[in-house]
Amino acid sequence: QGQYKSTLVCPLCKKVSITFDPFMYLSLPLPSTTMRTMTVTVFSTDGSIGPSPYTVSIPKSGDFKTLINALSNACSLRDDERLLVAEVYNSSLIRYLEDPSDDISLIRDGDKLVAYRLPKDSEGAAVVVFKSERME
């Protein structure tokens, strides 16, 4: 609770009027973050490096290209490599994030993302993904 001080000055006679209005509650806007943190597991296709999770921060208003650029820097992608990012659900790939202009808001906070390090010259080549499951 508190008091709100209001000062008014008459433009004609220059008289100053000060009033104090009591208040019980003050509404304030909550700060909104402009960045979003995402964790992506990166797989090496040549088997030289095991799966490694990388956490990147990107603008909430960004696109898939922004995500790929941030991830490329985080995992030290070489000039002769590219990343293929995919969404995983229930241990299966459900879609590739191929359109770089798609909005990053299409990915929800709980979605699991993986990326594959591929040679840059494999742009038109078929991608084979093996699925392994542990059976009890």
Side-chain angles (χ1 to χ4, degrees):
Q1 69 183 0
Q3 291 184 348
Y4 179 73
K5 180 182 176 182
S6 174
T7 304
L8 295 174
V9 179
C10 178
L12 299 175
C13 67
K14 304 297 183 205
K15 182 177 190 271
V16 178
S17 172
I18 299 174
T19 59
F20 292 91
D21 296 314
F23 63 86
M24 288 295 293
Y25 303 100
L26 181 63
S27 297
L28 296 174
L30 294 174
S32 175
T33 59
T34 59
M35 298 297 282
R36 180 176 178 188
T37 302
M38 303 178 81
T39 301
V40 182
T41 303
V42 178
F43 292 87
S44 173
T45 54
D46 62 3
S48 61
I49 305 170
S52 303
Y54 291 93
T55 302
V56 293
S57 292
I58 56 171
K60 283 186 176 180
S61 61
D63 52 16
F64 289 157
K65 184 176 181 174
T66 308
L67 171 64
I68 291 171
N69 289 340
L71 192 57
S72 298
N73 290 335
C75 71
S76 302
L77 197 68
R78 296 190 314 256
D79 289 337
D80 63 341
E81 292 180 311
R82 68 183 181 98
L83 287 176
L84 176 63
V85 182
E87 185 178 348
V88 176
Y89 179 74
N90 204 17
S91 300
S92 297
L93 293 175
I94 58 171
R95 70 177 171 137
Y96 293 106
L97 309 179
E98 295 179 297
D99 188 355
S101 64
D102 278 348
D103 194 32
I104 204 71
S105 64
L106 295 174
I107 302 171
R108 295 183 305 254
D109 286 336
D111 290 348
K112 182 169 173 56
L113 298 178
V114 296
Y116 297 94
R117 293 176 82 133
L118 302 173
K120 208 170 235 177
D121 59 355
S122 68
E123 196 74 35
V127 176
V128 178
V129 178
F130 294 96
K131 178 180 173 184
S132 65
E133 292 183 35
R134 185 183 315 172
M135 302 295 282
E136 297 277 336

